[in-house]
Amino acid sequence: MASNARIVIVGGGYVGMYTALRLQKKLGANEASVTVIDPQANMTYQPFLPEAAAGSIEPRHVVVPLRKTLRKCHVLTGRVTAISREAREVTVEASTGNISKIGYDVLVAAPGSVARTLPIPGLAEQGISFKTVAEAIYLRNHVLSRMDDATSTLDPALRRKLLTFMVVGGGYAGVEALAELADMSRYASRYYETINASDLRWVLVEASGRIMPEVSAPMGEYTVKQLLAAGTEVFLDTRVKTMEGGHVVLDDGTEFDADTIVWTAGVKPNPMLANTDLPLDDKGRVICSAALQVEGSPEVFSAGDCASVPDLSKDDPEAKTSPSAQHAVRQAKQLADNIVAHLRDEPVKPYKHSYAGSVASLGLYKGAAEIYGVKLKGVVAWFMHRTYHLSRMPTFNRKFRICSDWTQALLFRREVVSLEQIHEPKAEFSRAIGLPQEPDKD
């Protein structure tokens, strides 16, 4: 292929950022230009979101600024709304509303995934997802502010509602978010004269018969026992029928009021892919070969949550790689190498990686891990969780900052300050000049 090839990467998440990072190291000076397009100017390392929500890590340290990291790439802040293989161009809508079309010679379609929702009454009004650093910050402030509000009311029913927190979805995101936030709230209760740790009600609801399906059944059972021992209520084989007005009704007949409902019940490929001429499977994922090339278009690549990639580590020819950070990071490495090979008319190589295992944090100094069949529990698993994800965090800058956060957390007690006012930054100024106030959305 001629020099100065145009490489366009749709998405600045795991796949997009790691691919661009590797390309800028491997490509020659005039071999190609790389453009990364994403609505956000940073990549969020989602496995650290629970610790950011709990205050163990500074939220800014779990995001990687794309422009600072990808110095040899062009970073465009905008949302891709359409992709045309026939015209070899992508349609981009900037935050200002301007719409433009960008041509490409090589395309990486990696817009990632979005929260998978269900038609549950009240979900849109009451639920909060847990995929972004903004949501992690909001949840920390929200949980602490509910505790503040609970100390200010004499209504016992309202107090119970304010101190009841529900997480829907028993995968990694749900379990880790619940464990970290519950630990944080129980620790914070020591500073409230009228709230004991036992007053806090944390509820986990999972539609299947087990939590964390990525680990073995015994490790899933161990995790449930740890959550129960910490005082969390766990409902398995249970679905939410309604949550209108914060009144939760489960399909087993259980009813209660909750003022905090976290929705982590799975993900689905970015719906933007439906507005493309890329081949999609029945789940909306881009159909790829093992070399991460899109079916019928060797110049188009895809990987990560939004891609259907054959899992060559299994005997089943229909098996696909799971939508995990572990696969996404490794696929990005192979994807970048295959793009370089494609540009140089060299053979591409298939992606093959056996799933090494899983690590999960169950709160401070507690964890569960299964590495190559070896099961680890407690503080050892918790340390493995931190060590593994620190090794995956891009750039030395971010690694050092996270280690500094952990060191400070060991030396000093947790911060339990709610900064809920950041969600309405103009409220006080509006009061000062006498503008009418909008009702509290919470």
Side-chain angles (χ1 to χ4, degrees):
M1 186 173 288
S3 60
N4 293 318
R6 299 166 300 170
I7 302 173
V8 173
I9 300 176
V10 178
Y14 292 116
V15 173
M17 198 215 68
Y18 280 102
T19 297
L21 193 62
R22 189 167 179 84
L23 284 174
Q24 72 178 11
K25 294 178 181 177
K26 302 200 71 172
L27 290 172
N30 298 313
E31 194 169 3
S33 66
V34 179
T35 300
V36 180
I37 308 172
D38 194 271
Q40 303 296 324
N42 53 68
M43 186 277 276
T44 301
Y45 192 74
Q46 292 182 6
F48 279 146
L49 284 183
E51 290 199 58
S56 298
I57 299 176
E58 163 63 40
R60 289 175 299 174
H61 298 166
V62 305
V63 296
V64 181
L66 295 178
R67 287 186 172 85
K68 183 178 180 180
T69 305
L70 305 176
R71 294 183 181 276
K72 297 181 181 179
C73 301
H74 306 289
V75 176
L76 179 59
T77 303
R79 189 178 302 276
V80 172
T81 58
I83 297 174
S84 172
R85 286 188 296 170
E86 183 179 0
R88 290 201 177 190
E89 65 181 18
V90 300
T91 303
V92 183
E93 181 179 358
S95 58
T96 57
N98 295 331
I99 297 177
S100 59
K101 295 183 183 294
I102 298 177
Y104 67 82
D105 298 304
V106 174
L107 175 70
V108 178
S113 60
V114 298
R116 178 174 61 87
T117 58
L118 297 173
I120 298 173
L123 174 58
E125 297 78 16
Q126 302 297 323
I128 176 73
S129 183
F130 195 73
K131 284 181 65 66
T132 69
V133 69
E135 289 166 338
I137 295 171
Y138 172 83
L139 277 171
R140 171 181 171 79
N141 291 331
H142 181 78
V143 169
L144 291 173
S145 70
R146 299 310 90 168
M147 297 176 69
D148 290 336
D149 292 345
T151 63
S152 304
T153 181
L154 299 177
D155 183 340
L158 177 59
R159 188 175 189 273
R160 283 194 299 271
K161 180 178 181 178
L162 290 168
L163 297 180
T164 298
F165 311 91
M166 180 176 75
V167 175
V168 183
Y172 274 117
V175 170
E176 292 190 335
L178 182 148
E180 292 287 351
L181 285 168
D183 256 14
M184 183 266 294
S185 64
R186 289 166 185 148
Y187 175 85
S189 67
R190 69 184 64 188
Y191 300 109
Y192 292 83
E193 294 181 2
T194 61
I195 298 178
N196 297 317
S198 58
D199 296 327
L200 300 163
R201 184 183 185 186
W202 284 87
V203 181
L204 177 65
V205 179
E206 167 56 41
S208 69
R210 55 170 297 192
I211 65 172
M212 298 198 335
E214 299 88 351
V215 301
S216 65
M219 291 302 289
E221 293 171 2
Y222 166 79
T223 302
V224 171
K225 290 178 181 177
Q226 292 300 303
L227 293 175
L228 292 173
T232 299
E233 299 176 39
V234 180
F235 291 85
L236 301 179
D237 279 320
T238 307
R239 291 170 173 79
V240 180
K241 293 179 65 177
T242 178
M243 57 179 73
E244 288 184 293
H247 182 69
V248 178
V249 180
L250 306 181
D251 65 0
D252 66 353
T254 303
E255 296 186 32
F256 56 87
D257 290 331
D259 202 52
T260 305
I261 299 175
V262 185
W263 182 265
T264 63
V267 296
K268 63 180 180 181
N270 194 307
M272 179 276 295
L273 294 170
N275 195 27
T276 72
D277 56 1
L278 300 174
L280 306 179
D281 67 4
D282 58 352
K283 295 181 179 180
R285 300 175 300 181
V286 181
I287 300 174
C288 300
S289 68
L292 306 173
Q293 291 173 301
V294 171
E295 187 179 73
S297 299
E299 78 284 357
V300 183
F301 297 77
S302 188
D305 290 359
C306 69
S308 176
V309 180
D311 191 343
L312 300 184
S313 67
K314 297 180 180 178
D315 295 331
D316 182 3
E318 300 298 320
K320 307 297 180 182
T321 57
S322 61
S324 67
Q326 184 179 141
H327 277 305
V329 172
R330 287 177 166 85
Q331 285 174 350
K333 178 181 178 181
Q334 187 62 62
L335 194 157
D337 290 347
N338 283 351
I339 289 176
V340 174
H342 174 75
L343 293 176
R344 297 172 182 173
D345 295 322
E346 298 173 355
V348 297
K349 296 180 181 180
Y351 169 77
K352 181 178 181 180
H353 171 69
S354 298
Y355 196 60
S358 304
V359 289
S361 171
L362 304 179
L364 197 61
Y365 307 125
K366 295 170 287 186
E370 194 166 1
I371 311 296
Y372 293 112
V374 178
K375 299 177 178 60
L376 303 171
K377 302 176 182 178
V379 68
V380 176
W382 172 81
F383 181 77
M384 283 292 297
H385 170 270
R386 284 194 163 186
T387 302
Y388 172 76
H389 286 300
L390 184 66
S391 71
R392 297 293 92 191
M393 190 71 185
T395 77
F396 174 78
N397 178 301
R398 284 301 181 266
K399 287 182 172 69
F400 180 82
R401 289 177 185 272
I402 289 172
C403 282
S404 297
D405 289 340
W406 286 339
T407 301
Q408 292 178 64
L410 285 173
L411 298 176
F412 306 102
R413 294 182 175 182
R414 289 177 187 254
E415 290 288 350
V416 289
V417 177
S418 169
L419 299 177
E420 195 179 28
Q421 62 269 28
I422 69 172
H423 306 299
E424 295 182 81
K426 295 186 66 176
E428 288 300 321
F429 183 68
S430 296
R431 291 189 184 94
I433 61 178
L435 290 178
Q437 300 298 304
E438 293 185 5
D440 189 351
K441 296 180 181 179
D442 290 333

